[in-house]
Amino acid sequence: MAARIQIPSQAKQGEVVEVRVLIQHPMETGYRHDDVGHLIKRNVIKVLSCRYNGVEVFRADLSSGIAANPYVQFYTVADKSGELEFYWIDDEGKQGSERQSIRVT
Amino acid sequence: MSRAVLAVALLAFAAAAQAQQRAIPLDQIKSGSAFLGQDLRSLQNDDFANPGMLWVERGETMWRDPAGKSKQSCASCHQDAKSSMRGVAARYPKIDTASGKLLNLGSRINACRVDHQGAEPFRHESQELLSITAYVARQSRGVPVAASIDGPARAHFDAGEAAYRLRRGQMNLSCAHCHEANWGKRLLSETVSQGQPNGYPAYRMEWQTLGSLQRRLRACLSGIRAEMLPYGSPEYVDLELYLAWRAQGLPIETPGVRR
């Protein structure tokens, strides 16, 4: 699962930083049928979470109402230099993760 | 005297033929993005959030990955795509000098794979072909479309125009009925566009994925309840050339975002 993550590479302590996440995923709703009429099984990213130096700062429970290739944007406060770890899992159990480091001055 | 009249009449006829040829004058052509809402336009222009960039990024990796018997990558011959592929997409479809065939960008990439890399060609509409095509076309972002219709391309151009003007399907419509005579008007909740090809491969909301211009043409054919030709059919490539000529001067927007 390809993903794009964008955070500022450095920030001042206490600064509010924007975090942008774009994940490539079909987000199959479970309501569609294939060409021969069989129901296509639901397969969406059900959880997306972000940990900042080990502490969870963001968590989203996605469902079938979210379009394919979901784009998520949120904000967090730059606290200490370190890493943001992103983790997600879909209905089929496929997991994805990404890491990005941030330098706080 | 009569000769002068004849000359004037011929000139007027030539002018009329010219005007008829370019049904939408060049100063009035508008990209598909001009018919979008503000939300989709800003999504297209946001290099991070534009979902088509997921394919472009994959294409960038593919550019450097060796493939086929030759163990050569695209970069082995073409080096940095940012400079070597700049403006290339704007000139397609183009006659391939080796085979004499009219090729669109995707087929040209496949020809390179087969002839130079010794690799299998990618299937039409496969993720691989879309990714590498989008990556190559992305390098021409902002470059005005300038496909050549001279020489051997002329026959394809004429065939493309004939295809554009052919009434088809249960609704008995040609491309021109919507995209030439009625662009800018409402069709249910949507504004009819001019049907310009400069954003493709594009991410379409209806598809929820990236798709080629041929996929878009097939969607139009399905919409007017006409028979869809198979991917890669020469009639599509001729039509793509006609569309490129129609779009002359519009900047390449790949990966475009469309409804």
Side-chain angles (χ1 to χ4, degrees):
Chain A
M1 276 186 280
R4 310 185 85 199
I5 312 275
Q6 191 181 58
I7 56 169
S9 57
Q10 54 179 322
K12 289 200 178 73
Q13 192 170 33
E15 193 183 328
V16 176
V17 292
E18 186 182 69
V19 182
R20 309 173 89 193
V21 185
L22 177 68
I23 306 171
Q24 189 161 31
H25 195 278
M27 296 296 276
E28 194 56 62
T29 60
Y31 297 111
R32 298 198 311 155
H33 294 82
D34 65 13
D35 291 344
V36 287
H38 296 304
L39 203 65
I40 305 173
K41 228 178 144 191
R42 185 185 117 136
N43 180 28
V44 301
I45 294 174
K46 47 186 184 183
V47 177
L48 165 67
S49 88
C50 170
R51 287 165 167 273
Y52 183 4
N53 287 337
V55 181
E56 190 170 73
V57 290
F58 178 84
R59 185 183 190 85
D61 295 331
L62 308 180
S63 67
S64 62
I66 309 288
N69 309 310
Y71 168 69
V72 177
Q73 180 181 329
F74 60 91
Y75 298 85
T76 188
V77 178
D79 180 25
K80 276 185 199 138
S81 293
E83 258 188 347
L84 271 80
E85 293 170 72
F86 300 84
Y87 164 84
W88 58 94
I89 181 166
D90 70 9
D91 287 329
E92 284 180 355
K94 277 204 191 113
Q95 304 174 29
S97 61
E98 281 282 335
R99 289 158 175 270
Q100 292 250 324
S101 52
I102 183 167
R103 201 160 65 85
V104 178
T105 51
Chain B
M1 176 67 191
S2 68
R3 192 174 287 177
V5 170
L6 186 66
V8 168
L10 272 175
L11 270 178
F13 179 76
Q18 196 76 36
Q20 189 190 11
Q21 236 185 3
R22 250 191 215 286
I24 306 176
L26 283 179
D27 58 351
Q28 281 177 40
I29 54 172
K30 283 181 188 174
S31 165
S33 53
F35 299 88
L36 299 175
Q38 187 54 51
D39 50 348
L40 288 188
R41 244 202 321 273
S42 48
L43 184 63
Q44 174 179 300
N45 294 333
D46 184 335
D47 274 346
F48 179 81
N50 181 339
M53 292 304 285
L54 289 163
W55 280 262
V56 171
E57 272 191 348
R58 178 165 178 199
E60 189 174 3
T61 316
M62 289 169 67
W63 182 264
R64 293 187 302 259
D65 279 349
K69 291 194 198 95
S70 73
K71 304 264 193 303
Q72 300 279 303
S73 71
C74 307
S76 308
C77 295
H78 299 287
Q79 280 91 34
D80 187 2
K82 282 188 178 65
S83 49
S84 65
M85 291 295 124
R86 178 89 184 143
V88 169
R91 298 194 287 271
Y92 275 80
K94 192 176 160 187
I95 297 281
D96 175 40
T97 38
S99 65
K101 282 188 190 156
L102 182 71
L103 298 182
N104 61 19
L105 188 57
S107 306
R108 184 69 193 83
I109 291 169
N110 265 339
C112 218
R113 275 180 68 79
V114 174
D115 299 342
H116 304 305
Q117 287 183 303
E120 289 285 305
F122 293 128
R123 279 182 305 104
H124 288 291
E125 221 54 28
S126 60
Q127 296 301 308
E128 291 86 359
L129 186 58
L130 288 171
S131 301
I132 190 74
T133 310
Y135 174 66
V136 171
R138 172 75 177 81
Q139 310 310 321
S140 299
R141 199 178 231 196
V143 175
V145 174
S148 163
I149 59 163
D150 300 328
R154 184 71 207 194
H156 293 282
F157 170 79
D158 291 337
E161 175 162 28
Y164 187 83
R165 306 204 174 276
L166 179 69
R167 284 181 178 268
R168 302 163 190 266
Q170 286 181 320
M171 290 191 175
N172 206 26
L173 292 170
S174 77
C175 311
H177 286 108
C178 293
H179 298 293
E180 196 174 285
N182 287 298
W183 64 270
K185 294 184 191 162
R186 307 289 283 185
L187 183 65
L188 298 177
S189 67
E190 292 188 349
T191 313
V192 180
S193 80
Q194 292 179 350
Q196 304 287 9
N198 55 321
Y200 285 83
Y203 189 91
R204 255 190 110 208
M205 291 298 145
E206 187 184 320
W207 298 333
Q208 299 271 292
T209 184
L210 197 82
S212 69
L213 182 56
Q214 290 196 4
R215 182 170 179 187
R216 184 65 191 85
L217 293 174
R218 282 165 61 89
C220 248
L221 289 173
S222 153
I224 59 167
R225 299 182 199 160
E227 195 183 334
M228 291 190 284
L229 305 168
Y231 281 111
S233 140
E235 189 177 349
Y236 283 136
V237 191
D238 294 347
L239 190 52
E240 283 180 57
L241 179 63
Y242 180 69
L243 294 181
W245 172 81
R246 253 178 113 242
Q248 188 185 309
L250 281 181
I252 297 276
E253 290 175 7
T254 309
V257 174
R258 297 291 181 264
R259 285 183 297 239

